Amino acid sequence: MGGGHNGLVAAAYLARAGKKVVLLEAEDELGGATTSVRPFPEFDARLSRYSYLVSLLPDQIVTDLGINFKTLERSIASYTPYANKSNGSDGGLLISQNWDERTSQNFQELTGSAAEGAAWQSFYGEIAELAKRIAPSMLQPLKSAEKLKEEIALPQTWSYLMERPIGEIIQDRFGNDLVRGVVLTDALIGTFVSADDLQANRCFLYHLIGNGTGQWRVPQGGMGALVTELKRVALSAGVEILLNSRVSKIESGTSGVSVKTISDEKLVAKNLLFAGAPQTLAQIRGESKPESLEGSQMKINMLLSRLPRLKSGIDPQLAFAGTFHVNESYSQLESAYQNAKSGSIPNDLPLELYCHTLTDPTILSPELNAQGYQTLTLFGLHTPAALFDKSPDAAKAAAKKEAIASLNQYLLDPIESVLAVCQDGSLAIEVKSPLDLESDIGLPRGNIFHRDLDFPFIDTSGTNLTWGSETSDRHIFLAGAGARRGGGVSGIAGHNAAMAVLAND
């Protein structure tokens, strides 16, 4: 059940292992969060509407399934504009994907010494070594914390990532508020917590261990290209795909499981792999829903006639090539969290933006490329679903207004002045709140991880988890982001659910 990337991965693995597989998708198209759409129909621009970058997809899955899918490296990791309080000038911290003299000089200009840059290299060097050692375990049976810690053999790095709040570590290792914030952002994407909560550690870990490198890469052709290729692989392996097949009832017995769709079609099988949220599975089965952390992100998709100029004077093609940070110093992030927790949309809303088309122009038509059009994706932090419950439309409008104001403070050209203009005179900007993410693609409370992330290991006492996909029913397996080790666009949950089924035969 579920035709997102995880469901397709699971189906393909099982079919290639000789199983008869039927994939049920509730909607009229595959993809879930990994889709490409034309949000502004008169413009031939296919944007990755929901998920938009790839980090965790292992090369092993690509090789195993013969997926013809390419991701592209960004030469710039991030750019963070700031106002220089000493002289009132505008500056920015530009960090290359691979450390270079330009990056070193930017750290020097921001902090006044080489110490912070050296601390950055040391810290991320340690993380890179841990990522290389822990990544293979994501496609293996779960290990105990003790066993995995022993295998990784990096006790100091393990201690500060798994056992101490990431906020403490960041403040210990870095002295500059802006640098601290850039580090902290990876602990907060999609997670509504303080830096002092270990949930932030888990988010940080998943953002930095992907494929043994942690590098966030651009999907060539957009996210929809991955879905198209996974569909091809699944069909070629013999998977039967049924669209518009929303399941209304699930029953399980000693020998297997049966499902009934809203159109009264009944299917019977030995095993069911559920590639959706565990909360949805519980609802269909009439069980109590697992608790879920609030989804905390607002997504804004834009089509621009050109990139805006910045007050700092940096070339926009450099500034927007990586992740563009706004209002993401450590103190601003913590303040925004407290404001949102108290029920207010933060005034200095923390934002992350990136321009897909600077790395991969293929999502635009040749005509739009020739005219200089670009896309811009904005991800707003600390905008939990609770802020939108009372007045969804008004809250979304207010959050959009704050996001634009936050971005414009660093732009010479207000973002509204470079947005493409649609035929009806409206601007090419689309806003998705956490409530939209829930209604559009079934993310509980807009949580992109479906529920709280877990560390990728277990306490072996009193658990039936081997692959992280098992449920209380031996014939039903979680194959989506809510499985253990399931967060992010990775296919890991799909792979592991398939492995659990094969091991259960």
Side-chain angles (χ1 to χ4, degrees):
M1 286 178 58
H5 76 286
N6 272 312
L8 288 163
V9 165
Y13 268 107
L14 289 171
R16 287 165 67 93
K19 302 297 180 184
K20 183 178 180 181
V21 183
V22 176
L23 187 150
L24 304 177
E25 167 55 44
E27 305 298 333
D28 59 4
E29 64 177 351
L30 299 170
T34 48
T35 56
S36 293
V37 301
R38 287 177 63 168
F40 318 110
E42 60 263 55
F43 294 102
D44 190 0
R46 295 189 61 80
L47 280 65
S48 300
R49 172 172 268 168
Y50 303 110
S51 58
Y52 55 101
L53 290 174
V54 177
S55 165
L56 279 165
L57 177 65
D59 290 341
Q60 180 183 323
I61 291 178
V62 174
T63 301
D64 286 351
L65 299 182
I67 302 170
N68 183 19
F69 174 70
K70 186 177 181 181
T71 56
L72 306 172
E73 181 176 342
R74 302 184 295 177
S75 61
I76 304 299
S78 68
Y79 178 75
T80 308
Y82 60 85
N84 193 322
K85 295 180 180 179
S86 62
N87 58 19
S89 64
D90 289 280
L93 177 63
L94 184 73
I95 302 176
S96 297
Q97 196 69 252
N98 299 303
W99 190 271
D100 55 18
E101 180 57 35
R102 178 176 59 186
T103 302
S104 179
Q105 183 62 31
N106 270 255
F107 270 88
Q108 181 86 24
E109 291 174 0
L110 171 65
T111 66
S113 77
E116 203 78 333
W120 180 280
Q121 293 179 81
S122 175
F123 179 73
Y124 281 101
E126 294 164 20
I127 300 296
E129 186 59 35
L130 179 129
K132 185 169 65 177
R133 300 187 191 189
I134 201 173
S137 73
M138 302 291 281
L139 295 177
Q140 299 169 358
L142 280 163
K143 297 178 173 70
S144 68
E146 182 180 4
K147 175 67 173 174
L148 189 58
K149 181 178 181 180
E150 179 184 344
E151 288 184 4
I152 291 172
L154 294 169
Q156 182 177 354
T157 309
W158 178 280
S159 175
Y160 70 64
L161 276 184
M162 316 294 186
E163 298 168 357
R164 289 181 58 198
I166 191 67
E168 290 183 9
I169 306 307
I170 292 172
Q171 293 185 82
D172 285 349
R173 300 290 291 266
F174 302 97
N176 181 272
D177 188 41
L178 190 72
V179 174
R180 285 175 172 176
V182 174
V183 178
L184 179 60
T185 56
D186 280 322
L188 298 177
I189 299 297
T191 302
F192 184 57
V193 293
S194 164
D196 295 324
D197 192 310
L198 281 177
Q199 185 61 225
N201 291 57
R202 297 164 192 159
C203 184
F204 187 83
L205 183 70
Y206 277 80
H207 276 95
L208 290 172
I209 65 172
N211 213 18
T213 66
Q215 187 178 135
W216 287 87
R217 297 168 67 92
V218 176
Q220 188 173 49
M223 278 297 181
L226 175 60
V227 175
T228 299
E229 187 59 14
L230 286 172
K231 177 183 177 181
R232 180 193 67 79
V233 169
L235 290 173
S236 66
V239 175
E240 181 183 359
I241 297 175
L242 303 179
L243 301 177
N244 298 305
S245 298
R246 185 176 299 277
V247 171
S248 58
K249 190 174 184 179
I250 298 172
E251 293 182 330
S252 183
T254 56
S255 60
V257 61
S258 67
V259 301
K260 185 178 180 181
T261 69
I262 56 174
S263 59
D264 285 334
E265 184 175 7
K266 186 176 181 180
L267 297 96
V268 178
K270 183 175 181 182
N271 296 299
L272 169 66
L273 289 82
F274 191 85
Q279 294 90 332
T280 306
L281 174 62
Q283 182 177 5
I284 296 173
R285 298 184 70 197
E287 299 175 345
S288 59
K289 294 182 183 181
E291 290 186 7
S292 174
L293 192 68
E294 287 274 287
S296 67
Q297 64 292 313
M298 174 180 64
K299 178 87 185 292
I300 298 181
N301 297 307
M302 293 172 266
L303 181 65
L304 312 181
S305 59
R306 63 175 174 85
L307 291 174
R309 294 172 297 166
L310 283 88
K311 292 178 180 178
S312 65
I314 189 174
D315 182 349
Q317 296 207 18
L318 282 177
F320 290 104
T323 300
F324 187 100
H325 298 283
V326 175
N327 294 337
E328 290 193 326
S329 72
Y330 190 95
S331 57
Q332 285 175 315
L333 286 166
E334 285 294 276
S335 176
Y337 168 72
Q338 294 300 334
N339 286 341
K341 188 178 178 182
S342 69
S344 301
I345 295 172
N347 290 326
D348 294 325
L349 193 63
L351 311 173
E352 302 202 350
L353 302 96
Y354 103 106
C355 176
H356 184 119
T357 42
L358 286 175
T359 304
D360 171 33
T362 67
I363 65 170
L364 298 181
S365 67
E367 292 76 17
L368 290 181
N369 274 311
Q371 295 172 53
Y373 280 74
Q374 304 281 359
T375 64
L376 202 60
T377 292
L378 182 153
F379 205 81
L381 279 69
H382 290 327
T383 53
L387 296 182
F388 300 85
D389 283 333
K390 187 176 180 180
S391 303
D393 291 338
K396 189 160 67 170
K400 173 186 173 183
K401 181 179 178 181
E402 291 295 345
I404 289 175
S406 290
L407 174 59
N408 279 346
Q409 65 183 314
Y410 297 107
L411 302 182
L412 198 58
D413 302 313
I415 196 65
E416 303 96 319
S417 70
V418 296
L419 285 168
V421 181
C422 300
Q423 291 176 356
D424 62 0
S426 63
L427 299 178
I429 180 169
E430 173 189 70
V431 184
K432 295 290 184 181
S433 74
L435 300 187
D436 293 326
L437 297 180
E438 182 168 34
S439 62
D440 290 355
I441 52 175
L443 299 181
R445 300 295 289 165
N447 191 324
I448 61 176
F449 305 123
H450 292 181
R451 62 183 186 86
D452 293 3
L453 286 169
D454 293 303
F455 284 121
F457 49 78
I458 54 171
D459 176 356
T460 54
S461 61
T463 179
N464 70 332
L465 292 180
T466 301
W467 285 95
S469 308
E470 297 84 355
T471 69
S472 58
D473 190 304
R474 66 185 300 267
H475 295 290
I476 299 177
F477 300 84
L478 285 175
R484 197 83 172 222
R485 305 180 293 186
V489 178
S490 68
I492 290 172
H495 168 278
N496 290 348
M499 295 305 108
V501 167
L502 295 174
N504 195 44
D505 277 356

